[in-house]
Amino acid sequence: MSPRHIALAVLVAAVWGLNFVLIHIGLDKFPPLLFCALRFAVVAVPAIFFVGPPRVAWRWVLAVGVVLGVVKFGLLFLGMHAGMPAGLSSLVLQGQAVFTALFAVVLLRERPGGQRLAGLAVAFAGIGLSAVDHGLGGPLGAFVLVVLAAVAWGLSNVLTRKAAPPDALRWMVWVSAVPPLPLLGLSLLVEGPDADLRALRDITPAGLGAIGYVGLVSTLFGFVAWSFLLRTYDAIAVAPYSLLVPVFGMSSAWLLLGERVSPLAAGAALLVIAGIGITALRPGTLAAAAWRLPRTGSRRRAALAAARPGRPD
């Protein structure tokens, strides 16, 4: 990836990391499925009337809309509402990088090299260390919901790569038009019309701000940029950058929600960043560097030997 696109991937990770704090705020104001429906509604309406058709087969729009919008975000919001802390949720959700790689191997026939696998291993060692530090802070059911959300995100990454939309903005607007009605129907069925009406009637500036951020900033900007990266590069190359999301998620949860960041968690974050760095290097760079080190020393010794006066026979 070019340096400019690496910077874009890191920025998206920062936006998505802070997103967990805003989700936490929004879930205090709205039932989770209603909040999720409103998130996508602000992206899709009225944009679909101005951007034109998506320029990809409708089956891909529907598939990604359901998998990403209804399944992934529905499960994430339900899991956080059920007790998963914001920082821990940002961490667990990054299991999507493994699921993306698995789905990419099966569906796209991509093959990760040894260096990229090593980088993923280092990064996930950091995630594991952070998970040990945090512990399972929420109920087991909430934890499982977020893990399943990570599976859905991994699948949606690969489906987006397969769809190869030529216009990321138009693509995200139409994908966002799919979830609101299914999510609203589920909300009415599961959460009840009284809870939905009460939340809408008593809406606050904090609630409006949460909807605006998770809808326009996190969803529209974040996924437009992410879709562009997935269209430009292999899914296995892009997905590891999402491992930076828990670094930003944990730090913003510490700053804004008072969730602790211990020295163990800081060490975990460093491992994640190191793993991302390994995957970002051109394949074979580490092996080439390791191969050159002893040769460089040998050449220096040979040059010094050649510079010495020769001994008589």
Side-chain angles (χ1 to χ4, degrees):
M1 293 176 64
S2 70
R4 181 177 60 180
H5 291 157
I6 290 174
L8 178 61
V10 173
L11 176 60
V12 172
V15 166
W16 284 344
L18 180 59
N19 187 55
F20 288 88
V21 173
L22 274 297
I23 292 173
H24 176 87
I25 294 172
L27 290 174
D28 285 339
K29 313 298 180 183
F30 303 98
L33 294 176
L34 175 64
F35 183 35
C36 197
L38 293 173
R39 169 201 187 124
F40 287 102
V42 300
V43 177
V45 181
I48 57 172
F49 300 108
F50 298 98
V51 298
R55 295 182 182 175
V56 298
W58 286 104
R59 68 178 183 275
W60 296 119
V61 175
L62 293 173
V64 175
V66 170
V67 174
L68 179 68
V70 179
V71 180
K72 183 250 181 171
F73 280 106
L75 291 173
L76 173 63
F77 282 30
L78 287 170
M80 291 183 65
H81 185 260
M84 278 288 283
L88 184 58
S89 296
S90 71
L91 172 69
V92 172
L93 195 63
Q94 301 323 305
Q96 63 85 22
V98 169
F99 298 118
T100 297
L102 293 175
F103 285 126
V105 168
V106 174
L107 300 177
L108 303 181
R109 307 301 181 189
E110 294 181 7
R111 293 293 182 269
Q115 179 178 308
R116 191 164 289 160
L117 289 173
L120 283 172
V122 172
F124 272 93
I127 287 180
L129 183 62
S130 184
V132 170
D133 175 63
H134 278 263
L136 297 181
L140 179 60
F143 180 84
V144 172
L145 287 173
V146 178
V147 171
L148 292 176
V151 175
W153 191 6
L155 179 57
S156 73
N157 282 339
V158 174
L159 291 174
T160 298
R161 172 76 174 168
K162 192 77 172 176
D167 186 326
L169 175 61
R170 186 175 301 194
W171 162 256
M172 197 63 233
V173 167
W174 279 101
V175 164
S176 298
V178 176
L181 289 179
L183 285 167
L184 182 58
L186 288 171
S187 179
L188 291 172
L189 182 65
V190 175
E191 296 160 347
D194 291 341
D196 289 351
L197 289 173
R198 184 167 55 252
L200 294 173
R201 184 182 64 245
D202 300 334
I203 196 167
T204 64
L208 288 173
I211 293 172
Y213 184 92
V214 300
L216 299 178
V217 181
S218 177
T219 301
L220 191 58
F221 165 75
F223 279 96
V224 165
W226 196 250
S227 297
F228 165 77
L229 293 171
L230 286 170
R231 190 178 73 247
T232 306
Y233 300 98
D234 287 347
I236 297 175
V238 176
Y241 286 91
S242 68
L243 294 171
L244 287 173
V245 173
V247 177
F248 294 109
M250 291 162 57
S251 59
S252 61
W254 168 63
L255 287 170
L256 301 174
L257 301 178
E259 295 183 8
R260 70 182 184 90
V261 178
S262 69
L264 193 61
L270 291 177
L271 282 177
V272 171
I273 293 172
I276 295 297
I278 293 172
T279 62
L281 293 174
R282 187 181 300 276
T285 300
L286 292 180
W291 179 80
R292 283 196 299 268
L293 285 175
R295 289 180 59 86
T296 301
S298 299
R299 287 172 179 168
R300 185 179 293 112
R301 286 193 296 271
L304 290 173
R308 296 190 189 104
R311 293 182 299 174
D313 293 332

